[in-house]
Amino acid sequence: MPGKRQMQKAQTKRKIIDTAIKVYSEQGFSAPTIAIAGEAQISHGSIFVHFPTVEDLLVCLLEEFSQDIKSELHSLSESGRNIEKLLSMHIDVLIKHEGFYKRLTKEAVYLPEEVKNTFIAIQSTVSIHFLQALEPEMRAGKIKEIPFHMLFNTWLGLVHYYLLNGELFAPRESVLARCKSSLIESFLALIKQ
Amino acid sequence: MPGKRQMQKAQTKRKIIDTAIKVYSEQGFSAPTIAIAGEAQISHGSIFVHFPTVEDLLVCLLEEFSQDIKSELHSLSESGRNIEKLLSMHIDVLIKHEGFYKRLTKEAVYLPEEVKNTFIAIQSTVSIHFLQALEPEMRAGKIKEIPFHMLFNTWLGLVHYYLLNGELFAPRESVLARCKSSLIESFLALIKQ
DNA sequence: TAATATAATGAGTGTATACTCATTAAGTAA
DNA sequence: TTACTTAATGAGTATACACTCATTATATTA
C-alpha cells in the first residue's frame, strides 16, 4: 500500500502538472517557473525535485495532453462516421482544450523538438478519423477529386488560422465556439463535388 | 549637400536594417542584438545609437518590409486580373521574402502589437487584390457561394499552414516553391462551382 | 590650424531567468 | 522513542540578454 510520503509526492507532482497547464495556457510557454510555483503554492525548488528541467516538464505535459485528446477523439468518433459530425467533434475537442491548444499552435517554434513531434502526432490521429469519415463520401463521388492530404491540410490550415488570429475574429471569447458553424459550413461547401 | 558624417550615419543605419533582416530570418526574432552587431561588423552600442530599443528596430524593419511587399503586389497585379494569376503572384512575392515572412508567421505572438498590426495590414492588401481578381468570376457564377472572407481565409490559412510546417512538407528547401502548383490547383478546384 | 560637434565604440550595469544545494520538517522502521 | 530517510524549501549561483555611458576617432567649422 502507498505510504503518506508517496501520496504526498504524487499529489505535488500532479499539482505542478495541472498548474503548469493553467499558467502556460494563460501566460504562454515563456511563463517563468516561479509563476507556476507561486500559482501552485509550492516552493520554486519543488518543481526541480519532480522535473530535472523545464523541458522535461513540457514533455510530460504534452504526453498527457496528447493522450487526453487522442482518447477523446477516439471515443467520440465511435458514435458517428460522417464528415460533418466529425468536423463538429473535432472542433468540440479543441474548444475543450482551447487555451492550451492555442498556445501550442502559436508558440510551437520555441518548443523542444520532442514536444513539437507529440503535437504533430495529435494531428496525425485527427487525420485518420478524418479519412475514415470522408472515405465513404469520396467513393460515392460526392467529394471533389483533390488529394486527401490537401483536403485535410485545408481544414487544419483554416482551423489553425482562426485560432492564431482569434483576437481578430472574436475578441475576448472562444473563436472556435463563435465560428464553428461557419467554418464547418464553408468547408463542406468547398469540398462538395 | 549631405556631408560625409550624414552619409556614414545613414550607411550604418542601412547596414543594421539589412543585417537585422538577415539575422532574424535565419535565427528568428529572439536572436540577440550582439548577433546583428557581429554580422554587420559594427559595435554592439551602435545599434542603440540608431534605435533606442530593439522594438524600435523591429517596427522600422516591418515598416519597410510591408512597403516592399505592398508595392510588389501592386505592380504585379497590374498585369493580369484573373484569380489563378493572382494566386501565383502572391506565392511568388512570398517566395521572394520567404525567410523573413516565415519568421513573422511563426513568431508573431512574441512581437510587439505595432509589428503585428503592420503584418495584418499586409494581408489586408493581399485581400483587396484577391477580391478584385475574384469578383468577375464570382459574378459569372463560376465560384461557390461562400462568403468572400471565408474564401480568402481558406487560402491564407492553407498558405500559412504550409509555411509553418515547411519542414514536414519540404525539408531544407522552399515549401512554397515546391508546393506552389499543388496549392493553387487544389484551391482553384475547391472554390469552383 | 585649432576648437567643436558627433558617430562609433565596448566594457560595464541591471534584470530576468533556469537551476543548485545545504537545510528543514515530516514520515517510516527498529 | 530513537535513528534514519526523503520530500520540500528558498536563498544563492550562473547565464543571457537589453541597454548605458565615458571615451575615442573623425568630420566640420572658425
Side-chain angles (χ1 to χ4, degrees):
Chain A
M1 66 173 186
K4 251 189 181 176
R5 272 241 182 92
Q6 277 180 50
M7 283 187 64
Q8 182 57 254
K9 192 180 178 183
Q11 201 176 310
T12 305
K13 188 167 187 177
R14 181 107 301 273
K15 185 136 210 170
I16 293 170
I17 293 172
D18 293 340
T19 310
I21 293 260
K22 189 185 171 205
V23 169
Y24 286 147
S25 299
E26 286 167 359
Q27 304 180 24
F29 289 105
S30 55
T33 45
I34 42 163
I36 297 167
E39 180 76 26
Q41 304 197 57
I42 57 167
S43 76
H44 187 206
S46 278
I47 291 174
F48 299 94
V49 169
H50 293 273
F51 302 96
T53 67
V54 274
E55 180 162 341
D56 290 301
L57 170 58
L58 270 174
V59 168
C60 172
L61 250 46
L62 243 89
E63 217 65 53
E64 234 191 71
F65 184 71
S66 116
Q67 287 306 318
D68 288 357
I69 297 257
K70 283 181 187 177
S71 73
E72 282 169 32
L73 287 171
H74 200 74
S75 62
L76 282 170
S77 72
E78 291 295 314
S79 54
R81 287 212 168 164
N82 79 72
I83 185 68
E84 185 168 356
K85 274 188 190 164
L86 184 112
L87 299 180
S88 172
M89 178 206 83
H90 182 209
I91 300 273
D92 286 342
V93 172
L94 298 190
I95 286 174
K96 189 174 166 195
H97 303 276
E98 190 160 341
F100 195 69
Y101 189 92
K102 194 196 278 185
R103 287 293 173 186
L104 286 171
T105 61
K106 284 190 173 185
E107 305 179 22
V109 226
Y110 293 116
L111 298 174
E113 216 56 33
E114 200 176 341
V115 167
K116 278 192 249 182
N117 290 334
T118 308
F119 189 58
I120 291 168
I122 295 174
Q123 317 312 342
S124 181
T125 301
V126 175
S127 91
I128 290 167
H129 292 293
F130 191 89
L131 179 57
Q132 283 177 351
L134 206 54
E135 212 171 27
E137 311 210 33
M138 286 176 89
R139 277 183 206 283
K142 290 180 183 168
I143 304 296
K144 287 229 162 107
E145 279 174 11
I146 289 168
F148 167 74
H149 73 269
M150 267 303 190
L151 294 173
F152 182 67
N153 290 341
T154 301
W155 171 247
L156 211 55
L158 188 62
V159 171
H160 282 195
Y161 187 78
Y162 270 69
L163 275 172
L164 291 170
N165 299 287
E167 289 304 308
L168 254 59
F169 303 123
R172 284 162 221 286
E173 60 173 314
S174 158
V175 221
L176 292 183
R178 175 179 253 271
C179 303
K180 179 181 173 183
S181 61
S182 65
L183 284 170
I184 293 175
E185 273 171 36
S186 297
F187 183 73
L188 288 176
L190 282 172
I191 66 172
K192 269 183 196 157
Q193 187 68 276
Chain B
M1 66 175 188
K4 249 189 181 176
R5 274 243 180 90
Q6 278 181 49
M7 284 185 65
Q8 182 58 252
K9 191 180 179 183
Q11 200 176 311
T12 304
K13 188 167 187 176
R14 181 107 300 273
K15 185 137 211 169
I16 293 171
I17 293 172
D18 293 340
T19 309
I21 293 259
K22 189 186 169 202
V23 169
Y24 286 147
S25 300
E26 288 167 359
Q27 305 180 24
F29 289 106
S30 56
T33 45
I34 42 162
I36 296 167
E39 179 76 27
Q41 303 198 54
I42 58 167
S43 76
H44 187 207
S46 277
I47 291 173
F48 299 93
V49 169
H50 293 273
F51 302 96
T53 68
V54 274
E55 180 162 340
D56 289 301
L57 171 58
L58 270 174
V59 168
C60 172
L61 249 46
L62 242 88
E63 215 66 53
E64 235 191 70
F65 183 71
S66 115
Q67 286 307 319
D68 287 356
I69 298 258
K70 283 181 186 174
S71 74
E72 282 168 33
L73 286 171
H74 200 74
S75 62
L76 281 170
S77 73
E78 290 294 315
S79 53
R81 287 210 169 165
N82 78 73
I83 185 67
E84 185 169 356
K85 272 188 190 165
L86 185 112
L87 299 180
S88 170
M89 178 205 82
H90 182 210
I91 300 273
D92 287 340
V93 171
L94 297 190
I95 287 174
K96 190 175 166 193
H97 303 277
E98 191 160 341
F100 195 69
Y101 189 92
K102 193 195 280 182
R103 287 293 174 187
L104 286 172
T105 61
K106 284 190 172 184
E107 306 180 20
V109 225
Y110 293 115
L111 299 173
E113 215 57 34
E114 199 176 341
V115 166
K116 279 193 248 182
N117 289 335
T118 309
F119 188 58
I120 291 167
I122 295 175
Q123 316 313 342
S124 180
T125 301
V126 175
S127 90
I128 290 165
H129 292 294
F130 191 89
L131 179 57
Q132 283 178 351
L134 206 55
E135 213 171 27
E137 312 209 31
M138 287 175 89
R139 276 183 207 282
K142 291 180 184 168
I143 304 295
K144 288 231 160 104
E145 277 175 14
I146 289 169
F148 167 74
H149 73 270
M150 266 302 187
L151 294 174
F152 182 67
N153 290 341
T154 301
W155 171 247
L156 210 55
L158 189 61
V159 171
H160 282 196
Y161 186 79
Y162 270 69
L163 276 172
L164 290 170
N165 299 286
E167 289 304 310
L168 253 58
F169 303 123
R172 284 159 220 288
E173 59 174 313
S174 158
V175 221
L176 292 184
R178 175 179 251 270
C179 303
K180 179 182 173 184
S181 60
S182 65
L183 285 170
I184 293 174
E185 273 170 35
S186 298
F187 182 74
L188 289 176
L190 283 171
I191 66 171
K192 268 181 196 157
Q193 186 68 277

